[in-house]
């Protein structure tokens, strides 16, 4: 891909990101993105034939710009299961507000658009894998509660860290971001860690 094409593609992705963040969940049309990027609608379609393609690419672009790998480094390098659990909750929980506009758009589309559904499910499976790694680390350390299987514990942590739950706490309940992280960490420890561990 030529440098000019890469620059145009990045301009489209940045414009999409800006528009989605400005009004999360509202229908951002390809024409809105073209106008924001200062290019023709046809140019947007040349790079992204479908809106779902654009949303997936924007999410990946966000991961790259926001350096998700660096954010997950503490979780991946944690020496204990408790450290990994806390670090993963902090990494993902603090990343949600940064990708919320794109996440809300994918959530709004996923029931009517198979590609958006697959994109959303792919993203959420990556989060589930992070939850599973934290649960496996707790289990390895003998700290996982006996009340749940590893799969159930992973399911529970994954649900606790859902974008919809974050949205409920931050939007409807008016929790601060710090309060959300602190309570989620404390709640996860309470239900996932064995008594006396």
């Amino acid at each position: 891909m030529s440098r000019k094409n890469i620059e145009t593609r990045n301009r489209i992705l940045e414009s999409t990101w800006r528009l989605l963040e400005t009004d999360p969940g509202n229908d951002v049309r390809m024409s809105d993105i073209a106008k924001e990027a200062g290019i023709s609608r046809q140019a947007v379609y040349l790079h992204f034939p479908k809106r779902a393609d654009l949303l997936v690419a924007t999410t990946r672009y966000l991961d790259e710009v926001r350096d998700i790998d660096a954010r997950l480094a503490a979780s991946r390098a944690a020496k204990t299961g408790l450290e990994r659990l806390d670090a993963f909750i902090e990494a993902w929980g603090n990343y949600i507000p940064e990708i919320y506009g794109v996440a809300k758009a994918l959530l709004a589309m996923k029931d009517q658009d198979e590609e958006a559904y697959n994109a959303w499910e792919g993203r959420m499976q990556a989060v589930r894998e992070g939850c599973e790694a934290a649960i496996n680390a707790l289990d390895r350390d003998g700290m996982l509660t006996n009340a749940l299987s590893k799969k159930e514990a992973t399911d529970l942590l994954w649900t606790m860290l859902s974008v919809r739950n974050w949205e409920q706490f931050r939007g409807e309940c008016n929790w601060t971001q710090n309060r959300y992280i602190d309570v989620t960490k404390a709640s996860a420890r309470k239900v996932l860690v064995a008594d006396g561990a």
Side-chain angles (χ1 to χ4, degrees):
M1 187 178 285
S2 73
R3 181 178 167 89
K4 184 176 180 183
N5 281 343
I6 291 170
E7 287 173 3
T8 301
R9 185 178 192 279
N10 287 346
R11 222 165 66 217
I12 294 167
L13 294 170
E14 287 169 12
S15 296
T16 305
W17 179 5
R18 258 192 317 276
L19 288 170
L20 290 171
E21 281 187 337
T22 301
D23 207 356
N26 277 354
D27 190 26
V28 177
R29 299 169 307 194
M30 297 295 247
S31 57
D32 299 327
I33 294 161
K35 183 177 178 182
E36 178 75 14
I39 60 175
S40 70
R41 199 171 75 149
Q42 182 181 6
V44 175
Y45 279 107
L46 284 172
H47 287 275
F48 303 100
K50 296 180 182 171
R51 188 170 179 266
D53 296 338
L54 176 56
L55 292 172
V56 171
T58 302
T59 304
R60 290 183 179 147
Y61 181 73
L62 279 170
D63 286 348
E64 183 182 321
V65 170
R66 299 289 189 180
D67 201 356
I68 189 65
D69 287 331
R71 291 166 184 260
L72 292 170
S75 175
R76 292 171 176 160
K79 297 198 183 329
T80 70
L82 282 176
E83 287 173 5
R84 184 153 198 167
L85 178 66
D86 285 348
F88 186 75
I89 290 170
E90 286 180 24
W92 175 249
N94 284 320
Y95 193 51
I96 294 172
E98 297 183 37
I99 61 157
Y100 180 63
V102 175
K104 184 106 169 149
L106 284 173
L107 280 167
M109 289 175 63
K110 77 181 190 76
D111 291 335
Q112 291 83 28
D113 186 318
E114 186 177 346
E115 289 181 10
Y117 174 83
N118 290 335
W120 178 253
E121 290 303 306
R123 305 301 291 164
M124 291 305 96
Q125 284 306 312
V127 175
R128 191 177 198 293
E129 288 169 12
C131 293
E132 185 176 34
I135 296 303
N136 286 339
L138 284 174
D139 187 53
R140 176 201 67 217
D141 293 350
M143 299 188 79
L144 184 63
T145 181
N146 291 328
L148 300 166
S149 68
K150 286 197 298 184
K151 182 194 177 301
E152 290 169 335
T154 299
D155 292 343
L156 182 58
L157 180 59
W158 187 41
T159 301
M160 290 174 76
L161 293 174
S162 75
V163 171
R164 287 187 171 124
N165 284 343
W166 174 87
E167 182 180 47
Q168 181 78 16
F169 284 120
R170 293 284 287 124
E172 299 298 318
C173 301
N174 295 312
W175 285 22
T176 65
Q177 181 65 22
N178 287 340
R179 185 69 177 151
Y180 163 76
I181 294 294
D182 290 346
V183 171
T184 301
K185 284 170 38 176
S187 299
R189 281 182 173 226
K190 188 162 187 68
V191 297
L192 299 173
V193 176
D195 291 336

